[in-house]
Structures are given as C-alpha cells and as structure tokens.
Amino acid sequence: MMRPAEIRLTDLTVSYGRRPAVHHLSGRFAPGSLTAVVGPNGAGKSTLLRTLAGLQQPESGRVEGAAGQVALLPQAVALDRAFPIACLDLVLFGLWGESGAFRAVTRAGRERARAALAAVGLGGFEARPVGSLSTGQFQRLLFARLLLQDAPVILLDEPFNALDARTAADLLAMVHRWHGEGRTVIAVLHDLELVQREFPEALLLARDCLGWGPTEAALSAANRLQARRMAEAWMAGPELCQRRDAA
Amino acid sequence: MPAAGRRLIHDLLFGPFQEFGFLRRALVGCLALALAAPPLGVFLMLRRMSLTADVLGHGILPGVAAGFLLAGLSLPAMALGGALAGLVVAVGAGALSRATGGREDASLAALYLVALALGVALVSWRGGAVELTNLLFGSVLGVDDAALLLMAGAATLTLPVLALAWRPLVLECLDPSFARAVGARGAWWHMAFLALVVLNLIAAFQALGTLMSVGLMMLPAIAARHWATRVGGIVYAAVAIAALSAYAGLLLSFHADVPSGPAVVLAAGLAWLVSVLLGPVDGLLPRFWRRPHLAG
C-alpha cells in the first residue's frame, strides 16, 4: 500500500439539479485519520463520499488528494445478488487495480483473496454462490473485496446497517485494523454512541458543515441541535423522529 | 437392433444431412451460430436485457428490407442494411429511454412494433409472400456460401472478443457502480457487446429469419440458467443446448416441412421447457422432490 495523502476540500459544493447536497464545505482529512461522518438523512453524507470517490462531480470548489487512492463501499450497493458468481470470484474483482480487464489473476492474488475471505470470517465460502449468502455474510464479502483493493483511503457508507452485533463488531475490528495500518478511513454512520466510542474524529454534516474535528467537540449538543433544526427546515411535512434524528 | 430399426433411425437422424448439401450447409452454419450467439444471450439475460435482444432482432428487419429493395436478394446489401439499422436501434433505444425519462420497456416495445411494421411494409412493397416468409422466418435454402461465410465469420469474431471482454462484461453486469469506481469503462464494453449481438443476429437471419434469429440466442441462455450456478457453466450449457436445438430443429424443418427458423426455435423452446421442469437450479420438479434439510 502507498501512504495516503492528505485530502483537502476547498469550498466544495455538490448539487443535484439546483439543490445543493453538500454546501461550501472546506477542511481536511489528515493522512491515517479515522473519521465518522454524521448527520440527518439528506445531509449530503453519501454525496460527499461519492464525490471523494470521483463518482460525482463538484459544482464548484475542489477536492485534492483523493484521486486514484480511494476505495468506496456504497450504502445501497447496486450489486446484483442474483448474479451467478462464486464468492471467491467476486472478491477477486478487488484486484482490478492490478489485473485490469486483461491481465491474468496470479496465484498470489488468488491466495490473497482466500486470505481476505478468511479474515472476514468467510473461510470455506470460496465456491459458494453469492446469492446464497445472508445480509451479514454478504457485507463481510464486500469487506473482503475492499481488503483486496488495498487502497490507502477507504470510504464506508453506513457499513454496519442491518447487521447483527457480532457481524458489526467483526467488521468494526476490520476498520480499526485499517486505521492501525495507517490508512485514512472515512465512514458514514448513524449510531452516535458507536461514533463517540470508536471514532477519534467526526464531521457533522447538514449540507453545511456544523462541526469537524475531535469527535467530542464536533458532535457537541449545540452542534447536533443546529443540525436537527436545519434538517427540519428542508423537510416540508412531518417532523423527523427525534430519536433517529439524534444520530 | 434389427436392420430395419437401424435404417429408420438413420433415415430420421442422419440421412437428410448425407443426402442434401443445402441441409449440411445450414447445419454447419447453425452450429457456428450456436457457439457464438448463446454466450451473448447469457449476458443479455443476466443484464435483464432479454427484451432488448428481441427489439434488436426486429430492428434489423427494416434495414434488411431496405437492402432488399435496393439490390434484391443480395446478401451484402441486406446484411449491411440490417447491421446499420441494428446499430441505430442499439444506440437509439438506450438514448431514447434516457432522454424521455426512463420507462425503457415502453420505448423498446414502441420501437419494435414500428420496426416490424416498417420492415414488413417495405418487403411487401416490392417482394412477394415467399420473400417475406423467408426474411421473417428463414429458409435453409437461403444458406449459400456467402451466408455460410458470414455465419462462420461472425462466430470467429465473436468468441475471441467475448473472451477478451469477459471480465469487464461480468463486472459491468454484476456491479456497475464498482465498475465505474475502478474505471472499468463499462459503457464502452457494453457498446462493443451490443455490436456483437447485432452481428450475430445479422448472420442468423438467412437461416433462421429476422423474427426467429433471437430465439437461438435467448432460449438456450434462458434454459441454461437451470443447469449451472456460475456464468461460465451457464455459457457452456447454453452452447450445448443451442447446438442440439439447431440439429433437432433442422431435422424437424426437413421432415415436417416447416420454415427452419420456427423449427429451430421450437426445438430450443422444448429444451427450455425441459430445463424449467427438470433443471437442478430453480427447476419446478426438484422442488417437489424434497430432501431432508441439513442440520446447519
């Protein structure tokens, strides 16, 4: 793995049509930092990750230092789970950066894929069809592919949604392992308690940035209240459920 | 086995091919197509584009008809016209549904109805019922040396290109957003893939007809899904089913005196029915054959 570079955002605005999803955001993700991105629904969290991954173009402003070193695990993976493919073959796509469209997958690459499956607790699943996996096993499989991508910067969009405690804990351990290896990890999360316990840095987003830095300060009660107010202002209609909204 | 029985089997299964050169030519051509078209059909099926294949099949008809109008029953003119029309439809169908805001199936249905009507109108204008039937449903007599070369050439081009494009195509079907994120140029491969589909439909139209050529591409692919759990296995099964269907269909066409296109498609349809009923993957009958579940 190459060392991650610092990722700098300068006055970044990303819009859908004329509605901004990320609004005049400036700041930096230090190399090797572990940051949780927190905010209400519609706050631009996924949009920010997609922009960092180069899947979304900024309307104005700049992103520097992310190009070519990012691996993204999207929230709603567009992956067709009915596709007839074995787990090992799916994980091997994580080697795309090395193999590309044409080069052979080496024996070493295959071994790494096996090791990645074992590391996420799916040892022995090599030949299983992807369609036979449960939600939790499937998320483990996507983590194995991320592991194989070996990217210096890893973006996770709500990676622990709909997972049982055991699976979430295993995958969280994987996140800490990446952090320990010096990778920059940025994760969108809704579980505030988890963020405060496990993530040293946080970015509170409500289209505008309301707090960015050490988690305790960024997620202060005042900042969270402000985020809630802004979210209510976007929503015409019923108020957000306070309990979910607090995340 | 008594000599009379052997004789009967020989006359039914092999005699016609020994006796008639045109039937041998049609068989060789269809076997070539059976190698190339079903793998394309598998990818169309996996991308939920089975209907698109149908539309492309109909889409080449006006082009073929225009070639027929300009140059009579000349293979190069009809093939070129068909290829141009097919490519226009391939590019146009996607662009049209994007530009008019989704509802791809509706745009496709509209396109294919118009293409079919236009093609039939063009052929009827100058040609007779025989030409129309041959263009729509195919004729083994139509497989001359040029047509045979076209069929073999299409297979010869398709297989290596498919082998090269395999990994990007699988990725683009499986996880398009990941493909985009790693820069796999999915859209580019997809266009090359559609061009191959058009090429195979063109190559098939003389033996099977424009309406039926899709059948040898899609039916074996759809049937093969019931026999394997991985793309590679499905492709092999589809090729085997297509080859058997081509052979059985040409025999049916000869013995029962029906056009070759419908005969081959009916044979493939039978294979599909058998697969749906008996196939080990999501087949209907294995469901009734309950085996006790495992402990964990």
Side-chain angles (χ1 to χ4, degrees):
Chain A
M1 180 195 73
M2 51 178 188
R3 290 277 307 150
E6 178 182 80
I7 299 177
R8 274 186 310 280
L9 311 180
T10 315
D11 198 25
L12 178 71
T13 296
V14 190
S15 306
Y16 297 102
R18 290 178 55 199
R19 308 197 65 160
V22 173
H23 203 202
H24 298 296
L25 180 63
S26 294
R28 55 187 285 275
F29 295 99
S33 58
L34 172 58
T35 310
V37 180
V38 176
N41 289 332
K45 307 182 296 293
S46 300
T47 304
L48 174 62
L49 291 201
R50 288 173 52 79
T51 309
L52 292 176
L55 293 173
Q56 193 91 36
Q57 290 311 308
E59 182 186 292
S60 61
R62 279 199 315 273
V63 177
E64 289 159 294
Q69 45 172 338
V70 167
L72 167 69
L73 179 63
Q75 177 190 4
V77 179
L79 197 146
D80 175 10
R81 283 177 64 178
F83 195 90
I85 191 170
C87 289
L88 186 72
D89 290 335
L90 187 143
V91 171
L92 278 170
F93 277 116
L95 289 177
W96 187 279
E98 296 162 32
S99 69
F102 306 123
R103 279 185 297 281
V105 170
T106 58
R107 187 180 294 267
R110 220 162 253 283
E111 277 316 308
R112 275 170 57 204
R114 267 181 234 285
L117 274 175
V120 297
L122 292 180
F125 276 61
E126 286 80 359
R128 280 271 288 271
V130 166
S132 70
L133 299 189
S134 70
T135 308
Q137 290 169 333
F138 185 69
Q139 192 73 349
R140 288 172 188 266
L141 189 67
L142 294 180
F143 264 71
R145 184 173 70 180
L146 269 178
L147 199 57
L148 216 56
Q149 279 183 273
D150 195 27
V153 178
I154 295 174
L155 311 177
L156 307 168
D157 199 347
E158 301 196 22
F160 309 132
N161 261 15
L163 300 183
D164 62 23
R166 164 100 190 277
T167 307
D170 284 356
L171 296 184
L172 183 65
M174 190 65 68
V175 169
H176 282 304
R177 174 177 150 189
W178 285 327
H179 180 51
E181 288 167 350
R183 299 174 206 264
T184 306
V185 181
I186 305 169
V188 169
L189 291 167
H190 276 298
D191 183 347
L192 263 195
E193 203 187 305
L194 175 83
V195 171
Q196 282 163 338
R197 199 174 61 229
E198 309 277 354
F199 285 73
E201 314 252 333
L203 161 59
L204 179 61
L205 202 61
R207 298 191 185 167
D208 295 271
C209 171
L210 297 179
W212 191 349
T215 302
E216 214 50 51
L219 300 185
S220 69
N223 285 351
R224 272 153 46 202
L225 184 64
Q226 176 67 10
R228 192 145 61 222
R229 290 228 176 89
M230 295 183 73
E232 280 161 13
W234 315 323
M235 304 282 248
E239 273 188 303
L240 287 170
C241 164
Q242 297 297 311
R243 278 196 351 206
R244 282 203 46 199
D245 187 37
Chain B
M1 196 186 290
R6 271 207 306 270
R7 187 67 203 249
L8 183 66
I9 287 177
H10 175 269
D11 283 355
L12 273 179
L13 299 184
F14 309 112
F17 295 107
Q18 287 179 342
E19 204 167 332
F20 299 105
F22 70 89
L23 215 51
R24 276 202 298 280
R25 255 210 290 270
L27 180 66
V28 170
C30 284
L31 287 179
L33 288 176
L35 277 176
L40 299 172
V42 169
F43 279 100
L44 285 167
M45 172 186 71
L46 290 174
R47 296 198 67 150
R48 301 173 205 287
M49 286 177 64
S50 306
L51 183 61
T52 303
D54 224 2
V55 174
L56 287 176
H58 290 71
I60 65 174
L61 181 62
V64 171
F68 171 70
L69 276 187
L70 290 174
L73 282 170
S74 134
L75 179 65
M78 290 193 293
L80 194 64
L84 288 177
L87 290 177
V88 166
V89 172
V91 176
L96 187 67
S97 66
R98 272 193 301 278
T100 55
R103 291 276 168 222
E104 187 163 33
D105 60 333
S107 315
L108 291 181
L111 261 178
Y112 115 57
L113 288 167
V114 171
L116 179 58
L118 181 63
V120 170
L122 282 177
V123 178
S124 310
W125 189 29
R126 286 276 294 279
V130 177
E131 283 92 345
L132 185 60
T133 309
N134 285 352
L135 282 185
L136 290 180
F137 302 115
S139 152
V140 279
L141 290 169
V143 184
D144 54 12
D145 285 349
L148 192 57
L149 273 177
L150 181 60
M151 291 160 107
T156 308
L157 182 68
T158 300
L159 288 176
V161 172
L162 200 58
L164 276 177
W166 184 269
R167 198 182 293 163
L169 278 180
V170 168
L171 184 58
E172 178 67 14
C173 287
L174 171 72
D175 193 349
S177 66
F178 183 82
R180 247 187 94 200
V182 296
R185 297 178 195 283
W188 197 92
W189 287 112
H190 183 57
M191 283 318 298
F193 168 73
L194 284 181
L196 284 183
V197 171
V198 171
L199 174 68
N200 277 269
L201 293 175
I202 298 287
F205 88 84
Q206 272 181 313
L208 303 177
T210 54
L211 281 193
M212 294 289 133
S213 55
V214 181
L216 193 62
M217 186 177 284
M218 294 313 300
L219 274 171
I222 297 167
R225 197 182 72 79
H226 294 287
W227 298 101
T229 54
R230 301 204 203 173
V231 206
I234 293 179
V235 163
Y236 287 126
V239 168
I241 291 171
L244 278 175
S245 306
Y247 174 73
L250 287 176
L251 277 179
L252 177 67
S253 164
F254 178 80
H255 290 301
D257 195 24
V258 290
S260 45
V264 170
V265 171
L266 275 178
L270 185 66
W272 170 67
L273 198 65
V274 170
S275 307
V276 168
L277 287 177
L278 299 179
V281 182
D282 293 337
L284 288 178
L285 285 187
R287 242 186 261 175
F288 294 106
W289 196 298
R290 290 200 175 224
R291 293 190 299 171
H293 62 254
L294 304 174

